[in-house]
Amino acid sequence: MRTLLLAAAPVFLLGGMLATTPSHAATISKVANRNPAGACMLSIPTTDTGVRPKASGFRNEGTVNNFVICNFDVDTDIAGFTKLVVNFVSFDGAAHAFDCTGMDRYAGTATGDYATKSVSITAGGTAYISFLPSDFPSTGLVGWNASVTCTLPPGVSIITVAGYHDDNVGA
């Protein structure tokens, strides 16, 4: 009986070690691309505005700048965003320059990290901005409550809102 237990001990020991060895999760990079017609809205709502969602984007067809806020989706629980991207187009044939501020915060907090970037669009052209984890020193974009607010000038449309993130696909 004692010989059987001694012979079985290495098998149980090896089995226990294998059971506690951590598996290495594989990740893939994903993009959650949203139509700006649903992802964006007026940051300061008013009934006297030319800003509206359209099939071709969230457009400022008015005569004054308007604050527009866009949100981002992430479909994982292992990591936050690796990049936020907003694309713009000038639809009035004029050049435009304006600022956008990205923000990320943790769900249980009322404050977060902010980063402001400038956008320049050539006459009739397109432009984009991207925010990276390094732009947000406190959250690193892992707060999952990211948004971008822009001072959208007349003649400019937001045409893409995309949140890049990693997702766990197993071992």
Side-chain angles (χ1 to χ4, degrees), residues 44-60:
I44 302 172
T46 177
T47 57
D48 185 22
T49 181
V51 179
R52 65 188 98 259
K54 302 275 246 189
S56 59
F58 199 84
R59 299 167 57 110
N60 186 349

Side-chain angles (χ1 to χ4, degrees), residues 103-114 138-139 143 145:
M103 192 280 297
D104 188 42
R105 68 174 178 81
Y106 293 107
T109 62
T111 60
D113 276 352
Y114 293 86
S138 294
T139 65
N145 288 281

